[in-house]
Amino acid sequence: MNRFYGKSYRYKDKVIGVCDTIGDGYMTGHIKPSGSLRRVKILSLFDSSEEGQKCLDEFAKARGLSEVQG
């Protein structure tokens, strides 16, 4: 099951994408082995998933990250 909105990318040894926060808003995070989400703190919190995806896409492009399919 994909818990990310939009595209996800391989970052170090994790797959990261835009996901829900505990409260209102969105974050860039990865799924821990336990199934819970953990925030990638190098990126901000966002008011919309679109805003988060735009920031993540720019982050990925700047670092040459590969997109994860599916």
Side-chain angles (χ1 to χ4, degrees):
M1 180 173 113
N2 191 348
R3 296 173 62 182
F4 298 131
Y5 296 92
K7 298 176 186 175
S8 54
Y9 297 93
R10 184 153 313 280
Y11 177 62
K12 299 183 181 179
D13 62 339
K14 298 168 178 55
V15 174
I16 62 172
V18 176
C19 52
D20 294 317
T21 62
I22 292 173
D24 291 335
Y26 301 87
M27 66 180 183
T28 299
H30 65 90
I31 301 171
K32 295 179 6 176
S34 65
S36 64
L37 293 166
R38 182 168 187 113
R39 181 174 164 219
V40 176
K41 293 183 180 178
I42 195 168
L43 295 166
S44 301
L45 297 174
F46 308 99
D47 292 327
S48 71
S49 61
E50 293 84 8
E51 179 186 6
Q53 188 64 57
K54 180 180 178 194
C55 185
L56 177 57
D57 290 343
E58 291 169 0
F59 176 82
K61 183 177 180 182
R63 287 164 179 76
L65 303 182
S66 58
E67 185 178 344
V68 175
Q69 301 298 321

